[in-house]
Every structure is written in structure tokens, then in C-alpha cells.
Amino acid sequence: MALDTAGRVRRAAVKLFAAKGFHGTGIRELAQESGLSTASLYHYMGSKEDLLADIMCDCLRTLLDAATAVAARVDDPVPRVVELVKLHVRTHARKPKETRIVDHEIHALAPSARRTVVALRDSYESVWSEAVAEGVRRGAFRTNQPGVTRIALLEMCNGVARWYSPRGSLSLEDLAEHHADVALKALGACPHGPAEGQSRGE
Amino acid sequence: MALDTAGRVRRAAVKLFAAKGFHGTGIRELAQESGLSTASLYHYMGSKEDLLADIMCDCLRTLLDAATAVAARVDDPVPRVVELVKLHVRTHARKPKETRIVDHEIHALAPSARRTVVALRDSYESVWSEAVAEGVRRGAFRTNQPGVTRIALLEMCNGVARWYSPRGSLSLEDLAEHHADVALKALGACPHGPAEGQSRGE
Amino acid sequence: MALDTAGRVRRAAVKLFAAKGFHGTGIRELAQESGLSTASLYHYMGSKEDLLADIMCDCLRTLLDAATAVAARVDDPVPRVVELVKLHVRTHARKPKETRIVDHEIHALAPSARRTVVALRDSYESVWSEAVAEGVRRGAFRTNQPGVTRIALLEMCNGVARWYSPRGSLSLEDLAEHHADVALKALGACPHGPAEGQSRGE
Amino acid sequence: MALDTAGRVRRAAVKLFAAKGFHGTGIRELAQESGLSTASLYHYMGSKEDLLADIMCDCLRTLLDAATAVAARVDDPVPRVVELVKLHVRTHARKPKETRIVDHEIHALAPSARRTVVALRDSYESVWSEAVAEGVRRGAFRTNQPGVTRIALLEMCNGVARWYSPRGSLSLEDLAEHHADVALKALGACPHGPAEGQSRGE
DNA sequence: CATGAATGAGTGTTCATTCAT
DNA sequence: CATGAATGAACACTCATTCAT
């Protein structure tokens, strides 16, 4: 049925855009991978660029929604950051192609679509910023460069999409925990029992 | 003179490949940015792809040579990793366009050129691996996932090329030190006075 | 009901073919202007070209029938030409889109449809030729180039469809009379009291 | 040489646009008729539409220049109109394809190019208007609808491009004179000895 | 050195039309 | 009746590259 075909187009685009880049992917390849003619492709997408924008927005919106839910559910900054890191890592490990597209193909968007995508990304990152800032405020984190640390950690976690393979020996959960661990260290928190011990120290 | 013109071509390519991607850059743009005709362009490059491969190889070879020199000069794993991280961060901050090209455009190379570039990158990363392994061997680092940590740190430092601006308030040296700090924390070493001090602490 | 829809399609086609030309009008535009899907369009027309041919034939047949009636009703060549000119001008002023299509889009028809349309147009023009020839025969007109004059007058009157607007200050009837006037002058007849004076002269 | 090739492209475009319309002509046909590949075509034109605009502007500018020269040279309105009509008719008889393109393809231009072409056409027509108005002012013409007459005459003369063939029995000079004759009659002037005789009649 | 001219192959997209539902 | 889905062919145009001058 229709949804199925639309899904096939989407999956083909995700696969090819991630593998060869947006500009490196022709619509004839896209059509072949989808099992359609190039003309039929245009029943399921506005334009090649619309397709790209859709993929990026969907991916970012899902991530943003999940992060917002985490921030609403977890008050304590330390477990909140832990959850945010794990969410980010899991998403990048499970959807490496989508997330790589988000990270690598923003330059391929025309200004208006780019603004939308960047706004979504900024919203998402502000959930991180807020968590870090709250941790600093409550004395749970000790870092004199919270902004730099936040962006450095984000880049580290983005990298997961570029190298992690579920076929390797490392389980996804171990991967997520490892990154959460590094994040807490980078932010100057003790991994298991942080806020308490640190607030005492001050 | 000739060298000058060749340099202009190289600089134009670096600028455009970084900004719009290899496939997103046409040779007409390249020619315009270089101030040449498209035909003249071909006096200074083999093909568009050769130009890309040259840029990537030069960048990686410079980095590899510097890293090799660091490894030869610094024996102690802790300062060696510190130096490697700083080198990596400085290079990515000073040459963000070249390093972004290295990180993002490997898929645009044909298999044979890709093999060369990947080999260079692997050589470079093995300098890191060796430093981390040596630190673990000597008890300077405590991490049960040295490989994961290494690649996570590399991704974090690569990210510098994507966001750092020398026009911001953060100095390049502070940036480098901050990342070195995080690296040592992630590897389970105390930043300034590492192996010894930490083993005593337990 | 069906007739209504068919009418909407016809009106849409007339509007668009006149405004943008046959080849400049896509069936998607046609469908949108008709308020139908492109597929539904094909219930009300054979093909895009059939639709064009229908429009042209209907317009020409109406004109031919009216002209034939005029010729049958009015014997005297001078008032006959006057009536023919007025008919032509009125038709082009009232149906500027249809008549412009007839005048401009013959090249878009395939040979067989073109033959039909050209035959209709020739039949119509022969009513004019006959009236002019009769006037010359009876001494009502003085022109040594009756054929050229006839075609020049036709072109002049066709032009009405290209510039006349009922929203202007000139009434349709004044317009028709003005053109009839010019026609009689061009044919060498006195506008009001021609045949008599001239027949006396011979 | 280059000019030759550019000329071949121009001539091919004129031929095809006149015969099949702008939208009815593909660039592949254009290339074939020019004896070039479609890619080479783009060395000699900006875009298909630019080519159209160039053709129209060149044609109109030539006509405008000639008409301006006539107006400057001939003061008396009667011979001035005669010369203008003859110029118009000769141009339309000798360059029927170019003039038909000017008359039929304005709708194919994008707004900005259309404005340019329409401005040229208006300039040209204002030379006619001025001549007619001057004749009316000096009492050389008697018409209570000078504007309508002017446009009707223009349309009549435009028509020449649609039907006149130099292979017919009518010479170009006779054709021009015939139309000038009709024009004077339509404007209410005596063909050979106008202003004087008529002013006496009043 | 430098470039105007040239091109085969390819770009993303739209065309008019059909047909199963 | 009406239409969503589908398509082969064509659309205008650009690609990276070559070569004679």
C-alpha cells in the first residue's frame, strides 16, 4: 500500500544520503533503490531537497521530544545528564544513517529549510545546556567551561553514529554507559553519588 | 607565478569543498574562486577528485608526522596523550576546513584513493592507540574500554573543526588544554601528576 | 452535472490556451483550473490536442454559420460586407480568447486536425471573398487588389481580439462600425450611399 | 568562426520559434537545427528564454530606430505616415519570422524581460501615435477615433508577416503602397495631395 | 601558459497519458 | 464518476573534461 511505498522511498533516501551524501546521490539511484521510476518518485516527495529536509526534521523532532520528556521527568541534573547522554548515544547507535545525515548535510539545504533544521537542533541542544547549567547552579558539576564541555560532549556522542557497529563486541547499553561516564567526568561530577559528595566538599 | 596560482586553486578548493561538500562544488565555481578559466584549472590539478585526494593526504600526512614526532619525543604516556590531544585540537582549530574535508568527504573518493587516505588515517590513529595502550600497560590510565575511549576522544576533538571560532572568547590554548583535561579524565588519569599520584591514592 | 463539468473544462482550456498558448499550458494547470484531478480530465476530453481542436472548430463553425446566414440574407455587396465586418469584429470582441486561439495555435495541431480547421477557415474566408468579388463585379467596390484588401481587412479585424477591452470607453457597436467604415474605404466604396452612386457611374 | 556559429543558432531559433512557437520548440531541435550539441548551445545563449528575448529586442530595436529616423526626416504627417506604414510592411514582409515572434510570444517571457519588450513596443507605437496626432492637429487627417484607427492599422500591417509570400505575384513595393493607401483612407486623407485639398474642404 | 569552443553523459524535474480501484 | 498511483519519454540545463589554438 501507499505507506509501504512511501516508506521504501524514505529508507532508500536515508541509505543513500548517508552513504554517498545528498549531492552524491542521484534521483535515478534513489528510484532504483526504491523500486520505482524517477517519475513515480515524485508522488512520494516534493523534491529531492524536501526529502532531505523531511528526514532531518523527523530525526531531530524525535530526538527533541525524547529529550524534553527526559528533562521533564528527571529533576536531578546528574541523572538528567546521564539520561540525555544515553538517549543521544542510543539514538545515534540505532539510527546512525539518519543522524549522520543530520550532522553532515545541513549545508545542502536552502536557507529557509536550513533555518528550520537549525532551529530544531538549537532547541535540542538547549535541553542539554539547561541540564548542564542547572547542575552547575546546584553545585553538582564543576567546570569553568560549561558551554565548551557541552559541545565537546555532543560531538563525542555524535561520533557514535560514525563508528559504532552493533555487530561488534560492545553492547549498546555498555556504549551508552561508557559515554555517560565520560560525560560526568568531563563535567567534574563523581559518577556514582555525585551531587551529595560534591556539595559536601564545598 | 606558478606556485602562487597553484596555491590559489588549492585554497579555493579547500574553501568550497569544506563549505558545500565535494559533490556540491562544481569546477566552474572552483575556477571562479581561483580566478581562472575552467580549462586553465586543469593545468594545476589532475582531476577534481585528485585535488580532493591531495588535500586530504597533505592534511593527514602533516598531522601524522607531527604525531609521530610527539610520540618519539615524549615517553611518559600521560604527557604524550596530552601532547597528542593538543596537537589534534590545535590542528582542527587552525585548519578547520581541511580537517572537515578529511572527516566528511572520504566517501567521495574512488576505492584506490580511499585506501590511501584510510591507511594514513589508520597510521595516525595507531599513534593514539599506542599511547593509550602504553598508559594502560604502565598503570597510568584506568579504563576497561581503551579502544572506545580513544575513538570517543578523537571524535570529540574532531568536533572542534566544526564549531570552534578563533573570534570567540576562548583562546586556542585554553581550548587545547580543556580537551586534554577531558581526555585524561576519560582515561582515568589525574590531569597534572598522573600515574604516580593516582596509584598512591588507592 | 456532467454538462456543467464539461463546460468548466472547456472554459479553463480557453482561458489558459489563450493566456499561455497550447504548449505553454500543462494538463495539471488545466485540471486545477477546472477543479478536477488530471485523471478525471480525461473523462471530458479525448486528449489535450482534441480539446484544442474542438475549441477551434466550434469557434470557426459558429462564425461560418453566421457569415453564411448573412450572405444568404443580404444581397447587396456593400451592406453585406458591412454586416460581415461587424459580425467578425463583434465575435472577436466578445470571444477574444477563442478567436485568439484560432488565430495563434494552428501550428499546434497535428496534420489531420489542422486540415479540418484550415478547411473551415477557408470556407469562412470564401464568404468574404465572394462578397468582395460580387461588389467588384457590380461596380460597388473599386480596388485593383481585392484579394490583398480582403486579407488585410481580415487581419485588421482579427486584431480586435488582441487589444479591445469592453471596459474601455469605446462601445462594441462603435468599434464594429468604425471597422466597417475602414473596410468600405479600403474597398473604394462610399460609406453611406455607395452602390447607387457607383452603379450610376458605369 | 564564432560569429558564424552564433548566427546559426540565432537563425535556427528564429525559424523554429516562428514555426512551432517558443514552448513548442525543444532545445534538442534547436541544437540539431544549429548543428550543435545541446551543451554547446549554451555557449551561444544564456537560456532558451534569453534567446527569445534577444530576438524580440533586436527586431523591435531595429524597427524603432528606423521609425525614429523616419519621424526625424519627414515633417509632413501625410508622407510621414506613408513612410511609417511602408517601413512596417516592408519589415514584416522581409522578416516575417522575427516579427511573428515579436507579435505572438510575448506571453512566454518572464515578467522582467516582458517589461523590456513591451517598453520597446510602446516606444515604437508612440512614433505612430505622434504622427497620427500631428496629422489630426494640422488638419491633414479626419478621424474621430485616431487611437482605434492607429491600432487597427498596426494590426492590419502586422498581418503581412502572417500571409505575405515574396513568391506570390504581388511585389513588396506594391504591397507596401497598398497598405499605405488604405492607411490614408482610414485616416481620412486623400492619398496623393492630402493636407491641402482637405483643409480646403473644411 | 591560457582559454574559447566543444561535448557525451548526466542533472533534477515535468510531460501527457493510462488504469486499477 | 472519480482518482491515486504509475510511467516512458521528454524537458531545460549543467556536469567534468578535452583540445586546438
Side-chain angles (χ1 to χ4, degrees):
Chain A
M1 74 202 62
L3 223 163
D4 214 39
T5 308
R8 284 225 306 285
V9 171
R10 169 69 67 106
R11 257 169 278 131
V14 166
K15 173 177 171 185
L16 292 171
F17 290 171
K20 332 179 59 170
F22 176 75
H23 287 305
T25 303
I27 56 152
R28 276 148 187 90
E29 288 173 272
L30 214 48
Q32 182 165 15
E33 183 79 28
S34 312
L36 277 83
S37 68
T38 59
S40 296
L41 219 53
Y42 282 83
H43 264 274
Y44 297 97
M45 63 180 204
S47 69
K48 196 188 155 196
E49 205 200 305
D50 289 345
L51 186 52
L52 174 63
D54 285 352
I55 291 169
M56 296 177 105
C57 287
D58 284 1
C59 181
L60 275 170
R61 237 182 302 258
T62 304
L63 197 55
L64 172 58
D65 289 349
T68 307
V70 163
R73 179 163 44 79
V74 185
D75 180 65
D76 192 335
V78 173
R80 201 202 292 181
V81 161
V82 167
E83 285 308 306
L84 287 177
V85 168
K86 286 184 173 180
L87 167 65
H88 196 95
V89 168
R90 277 189 211 110
T91 304
H92 281 68
R94 283 188 184 131
K95 304 229 166 250
K97 285 176 297 216
E98 283 86 345
T99 48
R100 248 147 57 199
I101 291 170
V102 169
D103 287 342
H104 291 19
E105 301 294 339
I106 286 191
H107 69 259
L109 293 172
S112 112
R114 177 150 60 224
R115 272 192 293 276
T116 307
V117 168
V118 167
L120 275 170
R121 200 192 53 186
D122 288 351
S123 296
Y124 172 70
E125 295 200 1
S126 75
V127 178
W128 275 58
S129 304
E130 181 50 40
V132 169
E134 185 64 18
V136 170
R137 223 176 293 131
R138 299 198 196 173
F141 299 145
R142 270 183 235 148
T143 169
N144 43 4
Q145 295 286 0
V148 172
T149 308
R150 188 207 76 232
I151 199 168
L153 290 174
L154 271 167
E155 291 288 353
M156 181 180 73
C157 297
N158 287 340
V160 165
R162 283 186 285 266
W163 64 265
Y164 178 73
S165 161
R167 278 181 293 282
S169 65
L170 188 66
S171 84
L172 201 160
E173 230 22 62
D174 287 349
L175 179 78
E177 238 155 70
H178 181 271
H179 279 76
D181 228 55
V182 171
L184 290 188
K185 283 178 184 158
L187 288 165
C190 294
H192 297 297
E196 225 191 344
Q198 288 187 341
S199 59
R200 238 190 292 169
E202 290 193 282
Chain B
M1 78 203 60
L3 224 163
D4 213 40
T5 308
R8 284 226 305 285
V9 171
R10 167 69 67 108
R11 257 171 279 131
V14 166
K15 173 178 172 183
L16 293 171
F17 290 171
K20 332 178 61 171
F22 176 75
H23 287 305
T25 303
I27 56 151
R28 264 156 275 260
E29 289 172 272
L30 217 47
Q32 182 167 11
E33 183 79 28
S34 313
L36 275 79
S37 68
T38 59
S40 297
L41 217 54
Y42 282 83
H43 271 274
Y44 298 96
M45 65 179 203
S47 72
K48 195 185 154 198
E49 206 200 306
D50 290 344
L51 186 53
L52 173 64
D54 286 352
I55 290 168
M56 297 177 102
C57 287
D58 285 1
C59 181
L60 275 170
R61 236 183 300 259
T62 303
L63 198 55
L64 172 58
D65 289 351
T68 308
V70 163
R73 180 163 42 83
V74 186
D75 180 64
D76 192 334
V78 173
R80 201 201 294 182
V81 161
V82 167
E83 285 309 306
L84 286 176
V85 168
K86 287 184 173 179
L87 167 65
H88 196 95
V89 168
R90 277 189 212 111
T91 304
H92 281 68
R94 285 188 184 131
K95 303 233 167 245
K97 287 178 294 218
E98 283 86 344
T99 48
R100 249 145 59 198
I101 291 170
V102 169
D103 286 343
H104 290 21
E105 301 295 338
I106 287 191
H107 68 258
L109 294 171
S112 110
R114 176 150 61 227
R115 271 191 296 276
T116 307
V117 168
V118 167
L120 275 171
R121 199 191 55 185
D122 287 351
S123 296
Y124 172 72
E125 294 199 2
S126 76
V127 179
W128 275 57
S129 303
E130 181 50 39
V132 170
E134 186 64 19
V136 171
R137 224 177 291 128
R138 299 200 196 170
F141 300 144
R142 269 181 240 144
T143 169
N144 44 2
Q145 294 286 0
V148 171
T149 308
R150 188 206 76 233
I151 198 166
L153 290 175
L154 271 166
E155 290 288 352
M156 182 179 72
C157 297
N158 287 341
V160 165
R162 282 185 286 266
W163 62 265
Y164 178 73
S165 161
R167 277 182 292 283
S169 63
L170 189 65
S171 82
L172 202 159
E173 230 22 61
D174 287 350
L175 180 78
E177 236 155 72
H178 181 270
H179 279 76
D181 226 56
V182 172
L184 291 189
K185 283 178 184 159
L187 288 164
C190 292
H192 296 296
E196 228 191 344
Q198 287 189 342
S199 59
R200 241 191 291 168
E202 292 197 82
Chain C
M1 76 204 59
L3 223 164
D4 212 40
T5 307
R8 283 227 306 284
V9 171
R10 168 68 67 106
R11 258 170 277 131
V14 166
K15 173 177 171 183
L16 292 171
F17 291 170
K20 332 179 61 171
F22 176 75
H23 287 304
T25 303
I27 56 152
R28 263 155 274 261
E29 289 172 273
L30 216 48
Q32 182 167 12
E33 183 78 29
S34 313
L36 274 78
S37 69
T38 60
S40 298
L41 216 55
Y42 282 83
H43 270 274
Y44 297 96
M45 65 177 204
S47 70
K48 194 185 155 197
E49 204 200 307
D50 290 345
L51 185 52
L52 174 64
D54 286 352
I55 290 169
M56 297 177 104
C57 287
D58 285 1
C59 181
L60 276 170
R61 238 185 297 261
T62 304
L63 198 54
L64 172 58
D65 289 351
T68 307
V70 164
R73 178 163 43 81
V74 186
D75 180 64
D76 193 333
V78 173
R80 201 202 291 181
V81 161
V82 166
E83 285 309 306
L84 287 177
V85 168
K86 287 183 172 178
L87 168 65
H88 197 95
V89 169
R90 278 189 211 109
T91 304
H92 281 68
R94 284 190 184 129
K95 304 233 167 244
K97 286 177 294 218
E98 282 86 344
T99 49
R100 249 147 57 199
I101 291 169
V102 170
D103 286 343
H104 292 19
E105 301 294 338
I106 287 192
H107 68 258
L109 294 171
S112 110
R114 176 150 60 225
R115 272 191 295 274
T116 308
V117 168
V118 167
L120 275 170
R121 200 191 52 185
D122 288 351
S123 297
Y124 172 72
E125 295 199 3
S126 74
V127 178
W128 275 58
S129 304
E130 180 50 40
V132 169
E134 185 64 18
V136 170
R137 223 176 291 128
R138 299 198 196 171
F141 300 144
R142 271 183 233 143
T143 169
N144 43 3
Q145 294 285 0
V148 172
T149 308
R150 188 207 76 233
I151 199 167
L153 290 174
L154 272 167
E155 291 288 352
M156 182 180 72
C157 297
N158 287 340
V160 165
R162 284 186 283 265
W163 63 265
Y164 178 73
S165 161
R167 277 183 292 281
S169 64
L170 189 66
S171 82
L172 203 159
E173 231 21 64
D174 288 349
L175 179 77
E177 238 155 69
H178 181 272
H179 279 77
D181 227 57
V182 172
L184 291 189
K185 282 177 184 159
L187 289 163
C190 293
H192 295 297
E196 221 191 345
Q198 288 188 343
S199 59
R200 239 191 290 167
E202 290 196 82
Chain D
M1 75 202 60
L3 224 163
D4 214 40
T5 308
R8 285 226 306 285
V9 171
R10 168 69 67 107
R11 258 169 278 133
V14 166
K15 173 177 171 184
L16 292 171
F17 290 170
K20 331 179 60 169
F22 175 76
H23 287 305
T25 303
I27 57 152
R28 267 154 271 264
E29 289 173 272
L30 214 48
Q32 184 165 15
E33 184 77 30
S34 313
L36 279 86
S37 68
T38 59
S40 297
L41 218 53
Y42 282 84
H43 264 274
Y44 298 97
M45 64 178 204
S47 70
K48 195 187 155 197
E49 205 200 306
D50 289 345
L51 185 53
L52 174 64
D54 286 351
I55 290 169
M56 297 177 104
C57 287
D58 285 1
C59 181
L60 275 171
R61 237 183 300 260
T62 303
L63 198 54
L64 171 58
D65 289 350
T68 307
V70 163
R73 179 162 43 81
V74 186
D75 180 65
D76 193 334
V78 174
R80 200 200 293 182
V81 161
V82 167
E83 286 308 306
L84 287 176
V85 168
K86 287 184 172 177
L87 168 65
H88 197 94
V89 169
R90 276 189 213 111
T91 304
H92 281 67
R94 285 190 184 130
K95 304 232 168 246
K97 287 176 294 213
E98 283 86 343
T99 48
R100 249 145 59 199
I101 291 170
V102 169
D103 287 343
H104 291 21
E105 301 295 339
I106 286 192
H107 69 259
L109 294 172
S112 112
R114 176 150 60 227
R115 272 191 294 275
T116 306
V117 167
V118 167
L120 275 171
R121 200 191 55 186
D122 287 351
S123 296
Y124 173 71
E125 294 200 2
S126 74
V127 178
W128 275 58
S129 305
E130 181 50 39
V132 170
E134 186 64 19
V136 170
R137 223 176 291 131
R138 299 199 196 171
F141 299 144
R142 268 182 241 146
T143 169
N144 43 4
Q145 294 285 358
V148 172
T149 309
R150 188 206 76 232
I151 198 167
L153 291 174
L154 272 167
E155 291 288 353
M156 181 180 73
C157 297
N158 287 340
V160 166
R162 284 185 284 266
W163 62 264
Y164 177 72
S165 161
R167 278 183 292 281
S169 64
L170 188 65
S171 81
L172 202 160
E173 229 22 61
D174 287 349
L175 179 78
E177 237 154 71
H178 181 271
H179 279 77
D181 227 57
V182 172
L184 290 189
K185 281 177 183 160
L187 288 164
C190 291
H192 296 297
E196 227 192 341
Q198 288 188 341
S199 58
R200 241 188 289 166
E202 289 193 281

